[in-house]
Amino acid sequence: MRAVRLQAVGKIGLGDIPAPRPSPGEVLVRVLAAGICGTDRHLFKGEFPCAPPVTLGHEFSGEVIAAAEGVSIPLGTRIACDPNIACGTCEQCLRGRVNLCARNVAIGIHRDGGFAELAVIPAHRAIPVPGLHPHHAALAEPLACTLHGIDLGAPIPGERVIVLGGGIIGLLAVQLARNAGADVTLVTRHPAKRDLAMTVGATHAVATEAEAHALWPQGADLVLECAGVVETVEMAPRLTRAGGRVVVLGVMPQGATARIEPFDLLFREILLLHSFINPFTQGRAVAMLVEGRIDVTALISRVIPLSEAAQVIANPAAPGEVKVLVVPY
Ligand code: NAP
């Protein structure tokens, strides 16, 4: 079957590999759509640890076409993959902190994922998506990650929220914070993304820190960092009001550093939080998508065949582009 393989850092391409077969507890999925994520580009550049050679693709939907003996999920079930397989037995897992499991195995990062015609995943990581379009189901994973960030930041009605970065994570965060009843300003440089933010519910969309500051001079109750670059990580506390919260969702390259002023965090009692992946949020994300509570159609910039995926992953996102979906068939 055809699969997009990361062979080594900086080396990715479409190849032919044997079709996988489900082991005990697993299902075989015909992939229907897989999203290209900022993290795929981090993996290509060696900025996020992974285990090549590996088929990338950790955000995908599909149809169960075979199952190992004893697996109860009916053939033909449409699913969204939750890519994170925590061990379930370590101290963090037993405390319910499954996203901190040191033995977590991520599908599409540590084992073969969804930029392929077929994928094998554990049955308990296949979340049924009744009635959901496969393109929308592929967005369940980024929505689940963003939900975790929202859970940590906990915006409430009437609060002011600033979202930094107008990629898929930022534009999902805008919608979740609005659904929570907050006023939301998106800060992103590209005008098309600012326009998009307004169409999906942002109250304001601006290009720079100075504009955000002019809008809300006291700062925001909650700043969600969704860009993963040093500028926005450093900007986040500056745009937060005294007593407010920062949640960093963006992934900066491993080993990179940012300058934060501890005195400022202390004196203004700013809570600085980090949000990593999707602990127990994938089911809620699917439910929100099924109920149509999040506009994902507007966030899908283009749909490409498997043959174009490596090229797109190896290059920066096109200006104004939000989510590119790979459709293998
Ligand atoms: P993305 O498409 O690359 O979006 C990042 C956005 O940040 C871009 O759209 C860019 O838009 C904006 N940006 C860059 N520099 C900026 C600046 N100086 N000021 C304002 N905006 C700036 O990535 P994504 O898929 O949305 O993901 C966002 C980050 O979250 C990535 O680092 C990704 O790896 C990470 N992530 C984390 C989790 C988690 O569990 N924590 C899950 C998924 C992804 P403009 O060009 O318009 O400014």
Side-chain angles (χ1 to χ4, degrees), residues 77-311:
T77 303
R78 294 280 180 97
I79 60 98
C81 172
D82 178 344
N84 294 299
I85 312 166
C87 78
T89 58
C90 70
E91 192 191 347
Q92 294 291 5
C93 284
L94 295 177
R95 291 169 67 218
R97 306 293 302 271
V98 290
N99 56 328
L100 305 183
C101 172
R103 292 197 286 261
N104 184 52
V105 173
I107 297 164
I109 295 177
H110 307 116
R111 61 178 264 175
D112 289 344
F115 294 141
E117 291 169 315
L118 301 168
V120 154
I121 64 174
H124 66 95
R125 300 291 82 189
I127 315 294
V129 289
L132 193 58
H133 192 288
H135 292 185
H136 297 179
L139 290 163
E141 195 272 349
L143 179 58
C145 291
T146 317
L147 260 174
H148 182 47
I150 290 285
D151 287 349
L152 290 172
I156 55 173
E159 282 196 323
R160 288 176 166 175
V161 174
I162 291 178
V163 175
L164 303 176
I168 188 79
I169 300 295
L171 289 164
L172 291 170
V174 164
Q175 297 188 55
L176 290 171
R178 281 294 279 163
N179 286 357
D183 287 341
V184 184
T185 294
L186 177 75
V187 182
T188 204
R189 299 164 305 184
H190 201 282
K193 290 180 183 170
R194 296 198 293 277
D195 292 346
L196 194 49
M198 296 306 289
T199 68
V200 298
T203 24
H204 309 277
V206 300
T208 63
E209 176 181 0
E211 286 176 70
H213 183 74
L215 196 61
W216 290 341
Q218 305 279 324
D221 301 281
L222 170 65
V223 175
L224 297 160
E225 195 289 323
C226 302
V229 296
V230 69
E231 292 91 335
T232 47
V233 171
E234 292 181 351
M235 189 188 295
R238 293 196 295 262
L239 286 173
T240 307
R241 75 185 314 156
R245 295 99 65 200
V246 173
V247 180
V248 177
L249 287 101
V251 177
M252 280 186 48
Q254 195 174 24
T257 57
R259 283 185 308 174
I260 300 288
E261 187 188 349
F263 178 83
D264 176 50
L265 299 186
L266 173 89
F267 198 67
R268 298 193 301 125
E269 209 170 74
I270 305 273
L271 208 52
L272 177 58
L273 303 165
H274 291 78
S275 173
F276 183 56
I277 59 175
N278 59 345
F280 305 116
T281 51
Q282 188 99 356
R284 284 162 58 206
V286 166
M288 294 187 87
L289 292 171
V290 168
E291 289 160 17
R293 284 161 59 195
I294 299 290
D295 180 357
V296 281
T297 306
L299 309 185
I300 299 171
S301 307
R302 58 189 171 122
V303 177
I304 62 169
L306 209 47
S307 56
E308 292 174 20
Q311 173 73 7

